[in-house]
Amino acid sequence: MKLFVDTDADTRLARRVLRDITERGRDLNKVLHQYTTLVKPAFEEFCLPTKKFADVIIPRGAENLVAIDVIVLHIREIIRIRNGNVLHVRELSVDNGSSTDSDISQ
């Protein structure tokens, strides 16, 4: 399944500005210059054209919980079918980091 996570350009820019200023110590002018001269053109040339090949386009990115739930259900169904209607679950113990395997019939 090919996914394209589509986020509004203003949201992408706002996130980048906040991240680059707070985490990378850059000033606003440098962030905006880099975005307009490098980041945005690269996105338009390399990322945006891949949208037409996507099986699913997720609008609003990670905020779109309905789309994410649908994708998770689809992946679980593929796993269930490949495992012969038995969902293999790997549980990780929080206490000691050990893991156990179990099969759950569906």
Side-chain angles (χ1 to χ4, degrees), residues 26-58:
R26 296 182 180 146
D27 69 40
L28 180 59
N29 287 333
K30 288 182 182 177
V31 174
L32 293 176
H33 176 73
Q34 181 185 42
Y35 183 83
T36 56
T37 60
L38 300 171
V39 176
K40 187 172 183 265
F43 173 80
E44 291 170 349
E45 183 178 354
F46 299 108
C47 299
L48 194 55
T50 67
K51 184 176 181 177
K52 64 184 170 197
F53 301 108
D55 298 316
V56 178
I57 297 170
I58 304 170

Side-chain angles (χ1 to χ4, degrees), residues 16-106:
R16 185 173 194 93
V17 166
L18 289 173
R19 184 199 64 204
D20 283 5
I21 290 173
T22 59
E23 295 177 18
R24 299 180 178 169
R26 296 182 180 146
D27 69 40
L28 180 59
N29 287 333
K30 288 182 182 177
V31 174
L32 293 176
H33 176 73
Q34 181 185 42
Y35 183 83
T36 56
T37 60
L38 300 171
V39 176
K40 187 172 183 265
F43 173 80
E44 291 170 349
E45 183 178 354
F46 299 108
C47 299
L48 194 55
T50 67
K51 184 176 181 177
K52 64 184 170 197
F53 301 108
D55 298 316
V56 178
I57 297 170
I58 304 170
R60 298 185 329 274
E63 298 170 1
N64 192 335
L65 299 180
V66 172
I68 293 169
D69 286 343
V70 169
I71 292 164
V72 168
L73 287 172
H74 180 71
I75 292 169
R76 285 184 177 158
E77 180 65 10
I78 291 170
I79 293 169
R80 185 186 67 77
I81 291 168
R82 288 187 181 168
N83 287 336
N85 294 334
V86 175
L87 181 60
H88 185 76
V89 178
R90 184 166 185 94
E91 297 175 352
L92 190 61
S93 171
V94 176
D95 297 333
N96 60 11
S98 65
S99 61
T100 58
D101 292 335
S102 60
D103 291 329
I104 302 172
S105 296
Q106 296 264 321

